[in-house]
C-alpha cells in the first residue's frame, strides 16, 4: 500500500509541469536608488528606493549608527516571488503525464481524500503554491 501511495504521489507531482506560471516574471529587484531630501528647515532624509519602487527612510540608521545607505540589503520585498496559483495537474494517459520512472523530491500534502505532491525543483523557484482542496483554500510553502 505504501509503494502505491508513493508512486501515486510521484506521478501527481509531475503534473505541475503544465503550470502556466512561466508567463509571469517578477520585476528586477537588484536595483536600488539612494536619494537625499532636504526640508525647508534644513534637515534632510536619506531614502533608499528599492527595485519594487518602495521607499525606505534610513536616515536614523545612517546618522546615529554610521551605516552607509549603499550597504543596506533590504531583501526582495513583498510580492517578489510569485506564487503558483491553482496548479493544474495532468491526467494519466495525457502527453504531459510524466514517466513513472522519474525520481525527484516532492512535498506531499493530504487533506481528506485529496493527495497532492509538489516537486521541490519547481517549489524552489516559486516557494508557495496556492491550491484548493475541495472548497478549502490551501497554501503549500517550501
Amino acid at each position: 500500500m505504501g509503494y502505491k501511495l508513493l508512486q501515486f504521489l510521484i506521478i501527481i507531482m509531475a503534473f505541475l509541469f503544465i503550470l502556466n506560471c512561466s508567463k509571469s516574471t517578477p520585476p528586477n529587484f537588484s536595483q536600488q536608488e539612494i536619494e537625499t531630501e532636504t526640508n525647508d528647515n534644513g534637515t534632510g532624509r536619506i531614502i533608499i528606493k528599492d527595485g519594487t519602487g518602495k521607499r525606505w527612510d534610513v536616515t536614523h540608521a545612517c546618522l546615529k549608527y554610521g551605516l552607509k545607505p549603499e550597504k543596506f540589503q533590504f531583501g526582495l520585498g513583498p510580492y517578489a516571488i510569485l506564487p503558483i496559483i491553482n496548479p493544474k495537474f495532468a491526467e494519466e494517459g495525457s502527453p504531459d503525464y510524466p514517466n513513472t520512472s522519474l525520481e525527484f523530491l516532492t512535498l506531499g500534502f493530504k487533506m481528506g481524500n485529496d493527495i497532492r505532491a509538489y516537486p521541490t525543483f519547481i517549489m524552489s523557484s516559486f516557494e508557495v503554491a496556492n491550491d484548493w482542496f475541495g472548497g478549502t483554500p490551501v497554501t503549500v510553502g517550501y
Side-chain angles (χ1 to χ4, degrees):
M1 180 66 178
Y3 176 75
K4 286 187 177 186
L5 177 60
L6 178 61
Q7 185 179 17
F8 178 74
L9 289 175
I10 290 171
I11 291 169
I12 294 293
M13 58 140 188
F15 299 154
L16 293 172
F17 283 117
I18 63 169
L19 291 173
N20 194 13
C21 297
S22 60
K23 291 182 181 178
S24 302
T25 55
N28 181 1
F29 296 102
S30 61
Q31 295 178 334
Q32 75 177 15
E33 298 174 23
I34 300 168
E35 304 173 358
T36 54
E37 297 177 352
T38 305
N39 300 332
D40 293 336
N41 61 6
T43 61
R45 297 187 318 159
I46 302 169
I47 307 293
I48 294 176
K49 183 176 171 187
D50 68 22
T52 67
K54 186 170 181 164
R55 297 166 46 92
W56 303 86
D57 186 341
V58 296
T59 307
H60 179 75
C62 294
L63 297 179
K64 172 100 177 164
Y65 302 108
L67 300 176
K68 306 285 183 213
E70 62 274 3
K71 298 291 185 178
F72 274 82
Q73 295 182 358
F74 50 83
L76 296 177
Y79 313 111
I81 300 174
L82 301 175
I84 300 169
I85 299 177
N86 296 323
K88 306 293 183 233
F89 298 91
E91 297 288 328
E92 187 174 2
S94 75
D96 295 322
Y97 196 77
N99 184 334
T100 57
S101 67
L102 294 175
E103 291 185 17
F104 40 92
L105 296 174
T106 63
L107 297 171
F109 189 84
K110 179 182 179 193
M111 183 178 209
N113 291 328
D114 286 332
I115 300 172
R116 311 262 171 84
Y118 304 84
T120 57
F121 67 88
I122 292 177
M123 293 298 291
S124 64
S125 297
F126 293 95
E127 297 184 1
V128 173
N130 294 328
D131 206 348
W132 287 84
F133 282 71
T136 305
V138 173
T139 297
V140 179
Y142 175 64

